[in-house]
Amino acid sequence: MNYSKHYSQLDREALIQAVQMRMSERRFQHVLGVEETAIVLADRYGASTEKASIAALTHDYAKERPDEEFQLAIEQGDYENEKELLKFGNAIWHGLVGADFVKRELNIDDEEILQAIRLHTTGAADMTMLDKIIYVADYIEPGRNFPGVNDARTIALRDLDEAVAFETTHTLRYLIEEERLVYPKTIETYNRWVAGIR
């Protein structure tokens, strides 16, 4: 895929290199799987395949950074409910705070791409088509192997909103079973995309 330079000054190969240097090989293979899936979904649902590619390649850009780097960024940044945010770990930080690393270090400032990165683990009550594509692609990429993933893949090709609901339900169920903290946006996502559509 050739990039237009509207959303990233780097071409795809240069962006891939920049991302690959920031993560383990296992994480990098996941990122490539998310990109592959995101492009398929974008093409199917009429979204920009270029934006889907860039957002997918950068969604986990900050995933393997130390907690201290995130904590410092949160303390020095302008984040809503900073004290609450600090209670959550990398699973939340790498999207929400990671988008700012992508903006600063990779010079990607398209707000739709950055928002898709921010929301890729939590979702939100209001999601753009790109938000939904990255949220779902991250869940169903070819390297994923968990009970129900094939159902999720089938649903994603049939109805993207239904795929968001499926993923949200299963993610929330997992968090509750594991007695993990649930980020407020995940509850908002459930209320809108699962409970709100009945």
Side-chain angles (χ1 to χ4, degrees), residues 159-194:
D159 186 317
L160 195 58
D161 289 358
E162 193 181 332
V164 168
F166 182 95
E167 174 181 344
T168 303
T169 299
H170 287 78
T171 299
L172 192 53
R173 186 177 294 147
Y174 169 79
L175 291 170
I176 290 167
E177 285 171 358
E178 295 292 315
E179 298 182 352
R180 301 266 183 96
L181 276 176
V182 178
Y183 192 64
K185 267 209 185 320
T186 304
I187 300 292
E188 290 174 21
T189 306
Y190 177 84
N191 287 343
R192 165 62 180 86
W193 299 100
V194 182

Side-chain angles (χ1 to χ4, degrees), residues 40-41 44-45 136 140 152-160 163:
V40 168
L41 293 175
R44 185 169 190 86
Y45 293 107
V136 171
I140 65 168
R153 290 177 180 132
T154 300
I155 293 166
L157 294 175
R158 183 178 69 221
D159 186 317
L160 195 58

Side-chain angles (χ1 to χ4, degrees), residues 52-65:
S53 170
I54 294 168
L57 288 174
T58 56
H59 81 283
D60 273 356
Y61 177 70
K63 176 79 174 172
E64 295 181 341
R65 296 188 187 211

Side-chain angles (χ1 to χ4, degrees), residues 74-88:
I74 292 165
E75 287 162 2
Q76 294 180 345
D78 184 23
Y79 295 96
E80 194 176 323
N81 301 321
E82 175 191 310
K83 286 197 172 18
E84 282 298 307
L85 182 56
L86 285 167
K87 294 178 184 176
F88 292 88

Side-chain angles (χ1 to χ4, degrees), residues 34-46 49 52 133 137 156-157:
V34 175
E35 184 204 23
E36 175 188 333
T37 306
I39 289 170
V40 168
L41 293 175
D43 190 52
R44 185 169 190 86
Y45 293 107
T49 54
I133 285 168
L157 294 175

